Amino acid sequence: MKKLKNMNKNTKSNLLTYMMVIVTYVIVQIFIATGNMSSLMEGLLVPVCTYVILAVSLNLTVGILGELSLGHAGFMCVGAFASALFSLGMKDSIENDLLRFIVAILIAAVSAAVAGILVGIPVLRLKGDYLAIVTLAFGEIIKNFINAIYLGVDANGLHFSMKDTMSLGMEADGKILIKGAQGITGTPHCSNFTIGVILIMLSLVIINNLVNSRTGRAVMSIRDNRIAAESVGINITKYKLIAFTISASLAGVAGALYAHNLSTLMATPKNFGYNMSIMILVFVVLGGIGNMRGSVIAAVLLTLLPELLRGLADYRMLIYAIVLIFMMLFNWSPQFIDFRKKMMSKFKNKKKAEKEA
């Protein structure tokens, strides 16, 4: 009976998160249809969806698995370039933009998952700061490696070089796909807010189903007590790798959404560097570690807030800092936690009294 009650509570919490996303989508569409949303804010809708997917996927590693990873931007980078390369290369072969984009998203998910497996097998044996350092190094290696790649295609097939475009040795009708630090140019613009929200919903469904499954319970038992989990026969490496790979795969999906919103995709420190991984981690921490709904709210709020405060140029960063501090206190301060518990208890008692009356 207790397990059923807990399951119902989890289901209600998940449904509330889904409804929050759907209601927000409807409200935004109404604002767009009535012309009450600026072009600047409208241009931020796809990046917001990207950051939400990144936040909830990293929360799977940090909150559910209990491991600190700073390489999420690297997995995003793998998915972004894999999907953009496919879309650009198959632009003439697959004329249907939506079909090509769906396949590109799947390729991004698979490529990022493969990267997650290759990184996770040796890295997940590490703990704490060591894991964070190695995943951070992975992100920087991926970014610098892509900046050194020159890739082209002609009638003879693919041409690869790490020097310059002249070293590719292509024919006159050849097409350059990756231009080193200049990245990929001409990626089809397929991303939009609707697709972004659908991908958010899919990400939340995948993560919530995983958390409430037998696999998810095994992952959380490893997080809570590794020795106890191992003593009852749980395969530590297997379950950690499953969670880490799914997290990386979803980061790749976010990368595909991000790449198809840009005309030129470059592996710059701003887009896929250390600061991007830290920013995603900030969303997770401020939203509440292990709290998927909190990650969604934090990603949306902290992405839109600087733009909403742009009119207050002199006080913008001050207000932003105050909001960050307040969110940190609200989620982690013992006094605020006790206050929230008391308020929830009063609300439940009042609701119970009304039902009895």
Side-chain angles (χ1 to χ4, degrees):
M1 190 69 183
K2 187 176 180 181
K3 288 184 179 181
L4 181 61
K5 186 178 179 181
N6 291 335
M7 186 62 69
N8 288 336
K9 183 180 178 182
N10 291 332
T11 304
K12 288 178 182 178
S13 178
N14 294 340
L15 289 175
L16 180 61
T17 304
Y18 303 147
M19 287 302 299
M20 181 186 71
V21 174
I22 294 170
V23 169
T24 303
Y25 171 75
V26 172
I27 293 172
V28 170
Q29 292 291 12
I30 292 172
F31 271 95
I32 293 173
T34 56
N36 291 319
M37 180 170 287
S38 66
S39 57
L40 177 63
M41 293 302 295
E42 196 170 342
L44 285 173
L45 294 178
V46 173
V48 165
C49 293
T50 302
Y51 294 140
V52 168
I53 297 170
L54 288 168
V56 297
S57 60
L58 182 61
N59 210 344
L60 177 59
T61 300
V62 177
I64 307 303
L65 181 58
E67 299 289 356
L68 179 59
S69 171
L70 295 178
H72 223 52
F75 298 120
M76 176 190 176
C77 186
V78 171
F81 275 86
S83 62
L85 192 61
F86 171 82
S87 293
L88 188 61
M90 302 299 291
K91 193 174 182 180
D92 299 328
S93 301
I94 305 177
E95 295 181 357
N96 188 305
D97 290 341
L98 181 59
L99 177 60
R100 186 177 60 246
F101 186 38
I102 291 172
V103 177
I105 290 173
L106 293 175
I107 288 174
V110 171
S111 59
V114 170
I117 293 171
L118 294 176
V119 173
I121 290 174
V123 164
L124 289 176
R125 299 177 186 276
L126 303 173
K127 299 178 184 178
D129 296 341
Y130 300 104
L131 176 63
I133 292 169
V134 175
T135 52
L136 173 63
F138 160 76
E140 293 299 308
I141 289 169
I142 287 293
K143 175 175 63 67
N144 292 324
F145 178 71
I146 290 175
N147 281 330
I149 290 177
Y150 294 87
L151 186 68
V153 62
D154 60 12
N156 297 322
L158 289 173
H159 297 262
F160 176 83
S161 174
M162 298 190 73
K163 293 181 179 180
D164 51 40
T165 54
M166 297 299 294
S167 302
L168 292 173
M170 294 193 303
E171 296 181 358
D173 62 342
K175 183 179 181 181
I176 298 175
L177 300 178
I178 303 180
K179 304 175 184 177
Q182 295 180 2
I184 298 177
T185 304
T187 306
H189 196 286
C190 301
S191 295
N192 57 53
F193 182 54
T194 300
I195 293 176
V197 170
I198 291 172
L199 292 176
I200 289 173
M201 293 293 290
L202 287 174
S203 301
L204 288 171
V205 168
I206 290 170
I207 293 172
N208 287 330
N209 284 338
L210 174 67
V211 170
N212 295 321
S213 68
R214 182 179 179 183
T215 301
R217 290 190 290 272
V219 170
M220 288 186 286
S221 69
I222 296 169
R223 175 198 65 189
D224 295 336
N225 195 320
R226 180 190 177 100
I227 296 174
E230 196 169 13
S231 67
V232 295
I234 293 176
N235 190 324
I236 303 294
T237 303
K238 172 187 171 182
Y239 286 107
K240 288 179 73 172
L241 189 61
I242 288 173
F244 191 76
T245 303
I246 293 174
S247 176
S249 180
L250 292 176
V253 170
L257 185 67
Y258 180 82
H260 287 77
N261 191 48
L262 302 171
S263 56
T264 301
L265 179 66
M266 295 185 291
T268 63
K270 181 181 178 181
N271 294 343
F272 303 109
Y274 168 78
N275 288 331
M276 173 63 80
S277 293
I278 293 297
M279 185 176 72
I280 302 166
L281 183 62
V282 167
F283 295 154
V284 172
V285 173
L286 293 182
I289 293 177
N291 186 345
M292 298 304 163
R293 192 188 313 143
S295 294
V296 174
I297 295 171
V300 172
L301 181 63
L302 298 181
T303 303
L304 296 181
L305 192 61
E307 300 302 327
L308 293 173
L309 297 174
R310 190 171 289 276
L312 302 171
D314 295 334
Y315 307 101
R316 183 164 62 102
M317 295 311 296
L318 175 62
I319 297 172
Y320 185 72
I322 291 172
V323 171
L324 285 176
I325 293 170
F326 176 77
M327 288 184 67
M328 180 65 78
L329 290 173
F330 185 78
N331 282 313
W332 298 104
S333 172
Q335 289 81 4
F336 269 100
I337 293 172
D338 291 340
F339 175 75
R340 291 207 313 268
K341 288 180 179 179
K342 288 179 181 177
M343 293 302 296
M344 287 299 295
S345 178
K346 287 181 180 179
F347 177 76
K348 288 179 181 178
N349 291 336
K350 184 178 179 182
K351 195 173 180 180
K352 186 177 179 181
E354 289 176 354
K355 286 183 179 180
E356 291 175 353

